[in-house]
Amino acid sequence: MPAEALARRNVFILTAAQALGAASPPIIISLGGIVGQVLSPDPAFVTLPVSLYNLGLALGTIPAAVVMRHFGRRTGYLLGAGIGLISGLVATLGVVAAAFVVFCLGTFLAGFYGAYVQSYRFAATDAAPDSFKARAISLVMIGGLIAAIIGPQLVIWTRDALPAAPFAGSFLSQAVLALLALPVLAMLRAPKVAQARLSMSSGRPLREILLAPRFMLAAAAGIVSYGLMSFVMTAAPIAMVGCGFTVGEAALGIQWHVLAMFAPSFITGHLIGRFGKEKVTAAGLLLIAGSGAVALSGLDLSDFYISLILLGVGWNFGFIGATAMVTDCHTSDERGKVQGANDFLIFGSVAAASFFSGTLLTAAGWQTINWLIFPTIALVLIPLLWRMSRRKQEAPGTT
């Protein structure tokens, strides 16, 4: 099969798998704290299930990269979906048995499944020609838009499915989603280079790649885009309720935010193709800064909603742009270890953000959360703009 035809076929499969796999986090984020309130022996631990999901996501990136490097994308993704199936069953058991530790174990394992799901965007580029890579990443991310609808709806439909154990049905549906992903992922046909069992020493040493300015900038853009999004999103519902809005209004704000995260994926690839990876990434960072400015302008419901929508769109441009920048930093032999290291850095930051966001909100308030956006954005935006300026001087007329 020609490379481009194989790439398009894989993108279709990975988009479907993304829709199923990325529907699990909304279930965990929506219900993890609520179940924690019921099962936790200490009020300080009520958000621990959600934090452990993010921790599992961070810790799972390197093992997932190693598995896929030695056994191929498809085998790794099937293993990941199997872990997702088990995680949903364990979380369900924790709810039914009223066992907080078991429930937390289930959400932690779900993070390992998430580590595989997050790499679907990279897999989309394996067989893609350079002209199609950014669009391939963007198309797979559209699966996240579908997931943003599937996940919350499953919570509504299944939360009372087992009357004796409220919310257990929702985590059982999480297991079903992973089960449905197995036959979809079995159809994946990775190119030979992606299936090669290369040693971890192939290509340049990882340390050399990680210390290269080009990679450091790409990784920093991904860390800031995803880390700030998680940091603000975690605090937003608590801040909204604290300002007198209802839980339903807060949930609607998060729903609009998640839809804004993935809806631009229909055009992000085209924008990258036209304007370049760095410009789209810079636009995403500016939109995230804009979300902070709106949040600081007032505490009306519209201020929260507009801020969260801008935050979602900014994440999309920043994260997809940064992902495309990373694909320029390695050879095919170096792909697995570099992408795994990149995701470990990003999701390690996300885990830290989820741990500290609520604590900082309680100690310093919603405005402090948003003031911190600006210096963090500047740390990446300034060198990114400098790099764009240098490239323009060296090669006028190029992006």
Side-chain angles (χ1 to χ4, degrees):
M1 182 181 294
E4 186 166 352
L6 177 61
R8 292 183 181 278
R9 179 183 184 277
N10 283 344
V11 164
F12 178 79
I13 292 168
L14 290 166
T15 301
Q18 179 87 4
L20 295 168
S24 291
I27 296 173
I28 296 170
I29 293 169
S30 298
L31 297 179
I34 295 174
V35 174
Q37 285 182 321
V38 177
L39 302 183
S40 173
D42 187 330
F45 297 149
V46 295
T47 60
L48 184 61
V50 178
S51 296
L52 284 175
Y53 167 77
N54 288 317
L55 181 62
L57 182 59
L59 295 179
T61 53
I62 299 298
V66 172
V67 168
M68 289 185 288
R69 188 173 183 83
H70 284 277
F71 301 104
R73 295 279 197 194
R74 182 173 62 178
T75 300
Y77 290 155
L78 290 172
L79 174 62
I83 295 173
L85 172 60
I86 293 170
S87 71
L89 295 175
V90 171
T92 302
L93 177 62
V95 176
V96 172
F100 184 62
V101 173
V102 175
F103 177 67
C104 287
L105 176 61
T107 61
F108 179 67
L109 289 174
F112 280 82
Y113 175 33
Y116 286 94
V117 174
Q118 288 292 341
S119 75
Y120 291 170
R121 70 192 195 279
F122 283 125
T125 68
D126 285 347
D130 290 342
S131 60
F132 185 60
K133 283 184 177 180
R135 180 159 169 74
I137 295 170
S138 183
L139 288 171
V140 170
M141 296 297 282
I142 290 173
L145 177 62
I146 301 170
I149 299 171
I150 293 174
Q153 288 302 311
L154 280 176
V155 170
I156 295 171
W157 295 338
T158 62
R159 60 187 177 183
D160 297 319
L162 301 175
F167 307 119
S170 297
F171 290 96
L172 185 60
S173 72
Q174 180 188 333
V176 172
L177 289 172
L179 180 64
L180 293 174
L182 285 169
V184 174
L185 292 166
M187 294 188 290
L188 187 67
R189 296 291 182 269
K192 291 181 179 180
V193 66
Q195 292 180 335
R197 300 183 181 183
L198 301 169
S199 71
M200 290 301 289
S201 61
S202 298
R204 293 169 293 169
L206 182 59
R207 177 182 174 85
E208 177 183 335
I209 301 171
L210 297 186
L211 293 177
R214 190 178 190 182
F215 174 83
M216 292 174 66
L217 182 58
I223 289 169
V224 168
S225 299
Y226 216 132
L228 282 177
M229 185 279 294
S230 176
F231 186 62
V232 176
M233 180 185 68
T234 301
I238 304 171
M240 291 176 73
V241 173
C243 289
F245 300 110
T246 67
V247 173
E249 288 170 327
L252 183 59
I254 294 300
Q255 184 177 36
W256 279 112
H257 165 70
V258 174
L259 289 172
M261 286 172 61
F262 294 103
S265 296
F266 288 102
I267 63 169
T268 306
H270 290 294
L271 293 175
I272 290 175
R274 180 173 180 180
F275 298 107
K277 307 174 183 69
E278 289 87 357
K279 287 183 179 179
V280 171
T281 303
L285 294 172
L286 289 171
L287 284 168
I288 293 173
S291 76
V294 171
L296 290 168
S297 69
L299 297 175
D300 292 337
L301 189 61
S302 59
D303 296 319
F304 280 103
Y305 282 7
I306 294 171
S307 173
L308 286 168
I309 290 171
L310 288 174
L311 181 67
V313 177
W315 171 86
N316 183 282
F317 288 176
F319 185 56
I320 293 180
T323 298
M325 289 170 65
V326 169
T327 64
D328 290 338
C329 298
H330 58 73
T331 66
S332 58
D333 287 354
E334 299 162 348
R335 176 187 298 120
K337 61 184 179 183
V338 174
Q339 293 174 358
N342 177 73
D343 278 2
F344 176 77
L345 293 171
I346 288 175
F347 298 115
S349 302
V350 170
S354 69
F355 273 118
F356 294 116
S357 179
T359 301
L360 183 60
L361 178 67
T362 302
W366 174 243
Q367 288 198 331
T368 299
I369 293 283
N370 285 281
W371 276 116
L372 287 174
I373 290 175
F374 304 111
T376 308
I377 290 290
L379 287 174
V380 177
L381 186 60
I382 291 173
L384 181 60
L385 293 175
W386 180 81
R387 172 177 167 78
M388 290 163 55
S389 175
R390 286 289 302 273
R391 288 188 62 185
K392 187 174 182 179
Q393 292 174 3
E394 294 170 1
T398 65
T399 58

